[in-house]
Amino acid sequence: MVPRLKEKYSKEIIPAMMKEFSYKNIMEVPKVQKIVLNVGLGEAIQNIKLLDAAQKELSMITGQKAIVTKAKKSIAAFKLRQGVPIGCKVTLRGNMMYEFLDRLISAALPRIRDFKGIPSKSFDGRGNYALGLKEQFIFPEIEYDKVEMVHGLDVVFCTTAKTDKESKALLRYFGMPFKN
């Protein structure tokens, strides 16, 4: 089964982007390469069970197993040693990526309290967009009673767009609700 947004991309978004940016070839049209979800837990230094819970929640949200990330270098002020587990991440590509993007736009973002749109200032200059979410409860897969700790997560959309303008247009065509 082809994901809904993948079908929308090929039938609606490609022609619209070619018209808007006057591309001569279909291969010039930007596309979403991958979506990376990252949870950083500094509290996991004292309590490793928090990291296991966060890894399980991230796996439930994405449908793909999360991997544990470790500290790259020691920082004495934070009582952090090199190689200590401090977070987890998931990289989504292909159909899983489109399914997650669809659930994020249609189910999760509308559940944010006092939602007025996502900020449009978080582009990195090379067509990638980073979105920070304050709590994991916005995803319908998370059961409120079974959560050990409220934590945020970062969602990074990596696109093949050369400029932020192209990337913003691509995400807007997918249905991303940007603030004006």
Side-chain angles (χ1 to χ4, degrees), residues 17-18 21 51 59 61 63 76 78 89-90 95 102 162 164 168:
M17 292 280 290
M18 286 185 78
F21 292 100
L51 189 63
S59 297
I61 289 169
F78 297 121
K89 73 173 185 175
V90 173
N95 289 347
D102 194 9
K162 291 178 177 60
D164 291 345
K168 186 175 182 180

Side-chain angles (χ1 to χ4, degrees), residues 5-33:
L5 284 184
K6 189 174 187 178
E7 201 171 291
K8 181 179 179 180
Y9 175 74
S10 60
K11 290 183 178 168
E12 298 172 25
I13 296 174
I14 289 177
M17 292 280 290
M18 286 185 78
K19 185 177 179 184
E20 183 178 339
F21 292 100
S22 63
Y23 295 127
K24 292 175 179 59
N25 191 339
I26 282 183
M27 299 305 285
E28 287 181 280
V29 178
K31 63 182 176 222
V32 181
Q33 278 184 317

Side-chain angles (χ1 to χ4, degrees), residues 54-59 62 64-68 88-90:
Q55 185 180 12
K56 200 175 290 177
E57 288 170 2
L58 197 57
S59 297
T62 59
Q64 188 172 310
K65 188 171 192 272
I67 61 166
V68 175
C88 52
K89 73 173 185 175
V90 173

Side-chain angles (χ1 to χ4, degrees), residues 1-179:
M1 190 176 102
V2 179
R4 188 175 67 88
L5 284 184
K6 189 174 187 178
E7 201 171 291
K8 181 179 179 180
Y9 175 74
S10 60
K11 290 183 178 168
E12 298 172 25
I13 296 174
I14 289 177
M17 292 280 290
M18 286 185 78
K19 185 177 179 184
E20 183 178 339
F21 292 100
S22 63
Y23 295 127
K24 292 175 179 59
N25 191 339
I26 282 183
M27 299 305 285
E28 287 181 280
V29 178
K31 63 182 176 222
V32 181
Q33 278 184 317
K34 63 183 175 179
I35 297 176
V36 181
L37 285 85
N38 179 37
V39 174
L41 289 171
E43 299 87 18
I45 298 169
Q46 283 86 24
N47 189 355
I48 202 75
K49 284 186 177 181
L50 294 176
L51 189 63
D52 294 337
Q55 185 180 12
K56 200 175 290 177
E57 288 170 2
L58 197 57
S59 297
M60 281 173 38
I61 289 169
T62 59
Q64 188 172 310
K65 188 171 192 272
I67 61 166
V68 175
T69 55
K70 298 180 179 188
K72 291 188 182 192
K73 58 182 174 178
S74 300
I75 303 171
F78 297 121
K79 297 179 182 166
L80 182 66
R81 298 284 158 249
Q82 183 176 353
V84 173
I86 54 169
C88 52
K89 73 173 185 175
V90 173
T91 303
L92 299 170
R93 290 183 170 88
N95 289 347
M96 296 280 278
M97 171 188 70
Y98 285 109
E99 291 290 343
F100 173 77
L101 183 59
D102 194 9
R103 279 187 288 123
L104 178 75
I105 293 168
S106 60
L109 289 178
R111 291 178 63 164
I112 296 176
R113 273 181 268 138
D114 303 326
F115 185 68
K116 293 180 179 78
I118 58 173
S120 58
K121 304 257 189 251
S122 300
F123 289 94
D124 69 348
R126 289 187 230 113
N128 301 320
Y129 181 72
L131 172 66
L133 301 172
K134 289 189 172 83
E135 52 189 32
Q136 75 272 34
F137 298 126
I138 64 169
F139 292 98
E141 296 87 3
I142 302 296
E143 293 181 38
Y144 194 81
D145 300 337
K146 295 182 180 175
V147 173
E148 289 186 31
M149 182 187 140
V150 177
H151 59 78
L153 58 132
D154 300 320
V155 183
V156 180
F157 301 92
C158 300
T159 66
T160 58
K162 291 178 177 60
T163 64
D164 291 345
K165 187 178 176 186
E166 293 172 354
S167 180
K168 186 175 182 180
L170 174 68
L171 292 174
R172 182 166 274 139
Y173 279 125
F174 273 121
M176 198 69 84
F178 287 108
K179 287 181 192 171

